[in-house]
Amino acid sequence: MSTTAPWLLAFDDERHLAEALARELAWPLHCIERHSFPDGETKLTLPAALPERVVVLRGLQQPNAKLAELLLAAPAARELGARELTLVAPYLAYMRQDIAFHPGEVVSQRHLGALLAQAFDAVVTVDPHLHRVRSLDEVLPGRRGTAVSAAPLLGAWVARHVARALLVGPDAESAQWVEQAARAAGLGWALARKQRHGDRDVSIALPDADYRNRGVVLIDDVASTGRTLAVATTQLLERGAASVDVAVTHALFVGDALAQLRAAGVRHVWSTDSVPHETNVVSVAPLLAAALR
Ligand code: R5P
């Protein structure tokens, strides 16, 4: 059995979380260098010799280019000495496409999971969007999948910043996160229903509750275009909420998402650093470190 400490490998654009994680674990951190050729190809350079256990940190926001990098980096790491290779993807993309709604539609969750299972021995992530599938192990055939949740941390953050907050999940899938956040913080919670009509077009039905003069906080795993949270906010304010704040694990916030939230009347937007973003207030580094230990 090797006595060498595992190495953490990371890319320069995720240095902040990588450094926090390496500090938590007291593991050496090394960089995977990237060069982009004019034609769009990428050259990666890993440390020339690797220990037996290697952990690669790569969040899969803007996933397509990063997946190509991972599929190159993983076999290269094995050639350079890694025997046990773990991927830490704080945000794991493609998890929402878990069923074919129309004939021929690709169930990306399943195929992405199979690809990662070929490349890595284990995958660690935060709040993956598992809805019709119970556990990450089911997504990664024959490999270890570990999912940790930032919802309790977000709940504790909310409890410190909003007196008597009511937590609201915007759709059925968010029940798992809003319930954990509420339990950790000793707060009340409720669940809305959502219908998606298009990428930027959703309708929300709020649950019956007295929102008047309440500080309401919307909790979700991921905000992408922000439309889900913006529509819910408009309705909550119409129903008399004193304030609406938003707390999400993964701050994708693409395009004009933040502007949409502000325009709808959201007061604070809070997120974890699973995706680097100006709204980050809670670090997932301790959660990831615990899972890796
Ligand atoms: C889906 O159910 C997720 O939990 C989020 O609610 C959704 O992805 C948010 O998307 P958007 O910000 O584009 O409305």
Side-chain angles (χ1 to χ4, degrees), residues 12 48 65 74 82 84-85 102 111 113 132 172 194 211 215 256-257 292:
D12 54 351
E84 194 194 327
L85 195 56
H102 305 285
H111 302 299
R132 280 163 274 252
K194 177 169 83 180
Y211 300 102
D256 65 352
L292 288 167

Side-chain angles (χ1 to χ4, degrees), residues 12 35 65 207 251 273:
D12 54 351
H35 172 76
D273 59 359

Side-chain angles (χ1 to χ4, degrees), residues 5-274:
W7 281 16
L8 180 63
L9 300 186
F11 294 78
D12 54 351
D13 55 346
E14 284 171 311
R15 181 157 277 282
H16 188 75
L17 180 57
E19 285 173 351
L21 185 54
R23 259 195 315 276
E24 288 279 339
L25 290 161
W27 287 1
L29 168 64
H30 296 269
C31 196
I32 299 180
E33 285 166 24
R34 278 180 301 169
H35 172 76
S36 295
F37 291 107
D39 57 14
E41 290 182 2
T42 302
K43 181 178 75 174
L44 300 177
T45 307
L46 279 68
L50 292 172
E52 264 187 31
R53 186 172 175 213
V54 171
V55 173
V56 176
L57 173 73
R58 198 53 170 150
L60 289 176
Q61 55 279 11
Q62 300 104 34
N64 296 350
K66 291 178 180 169
L67 283 169
E69 289 167 6
L70 284 181
L71 296 180
L72 295 170
R78 292 196 197 277
E79 281 175 357
L80 294 166
R83 283 169 192 235
E84 194 194 327
L85 195 56
T86 299
L87 171 66
V88 174
Y91 174 64
L92 190 55
Y94 284 115
M95 292 298 106
R96 284 170 290 182
Q97 297 169 35
D98 62 355
I99 192 174
F101 289 101
H102 305 285
E105 225 170 62
V106 173
V107 182
S108 306
Q109 182 191 75
R110 193 160 69 228
H111 302 299
L112 191 272
L115 264 182
L116 293 180
Q118 277 167 31
F120 294 92
D121 299 301
V123 175
V124 177
T125 189
V126 186
D127 291 332
H129 192 93
L130 302 181
H131 177 38
R132 280 163 274 252
V133 161
R134 279 183 174 277
S135 81
L136 199 55
D137 283 331
E138 286 178 53
V139 179
L140 299 161
R143 300 296 199 189
R144 288 193 314 279
T146 304
V148 296
S149 181
L153 296 179
L154 288 174
W157 173 272
V158 168
R160 288 200 299 277
H161 291 85
V162 184
R164 288 182 52 252
L166 174 66
L167 306 187
V168 174
D171 51 27
E173 295 100 299
S174 65
Q176 54 188 307
W177 301 294
V178 72
E179 199 261 335
Q180 285 187 74
R183 195 168 353 109
L187 296 170
W189 64 283
L191 204 60
R193 277 177 292 121
K194 177 169 83 180
Q195 256 195 303
R196 185 170 283 286
H197 312 289
D199 289 342
R200 290 177 165 74
D201 184 9
V202 298
S203 51
I204 299 254
L206 289 179
D208 278 337
D210 186 3
Y211 300 102
R212 285 171 303 170
N213 304 318
R214 291 295 298 270
V216 177
V217 182
L218 287 162
I219 302 276
D220 210 353
D221 59 331
V222 53
S224 176
T225 68
R227 290 335 189 252
T228 297
L229 298 171
V231 170
T233 299
T234 304
Q235 293 187 24
L236 286 163
L237 291 173
E238 282 169 4
R239 301 265 290 262
S243 60
V244 179
D245 303 309
V246 159
V248 296
T249 302
H250 308 296
L252 299 185
F253 293 121
V254 297
D256 65 352
L258 272 189
Q260 290 286 332
L261 293 185
R262 302 281 179 224
V266 170
R267 184 177 61 170
H268 298 299
V269 180
W270 296 311
S271 65
T272 79
D273 59 359
S274 69

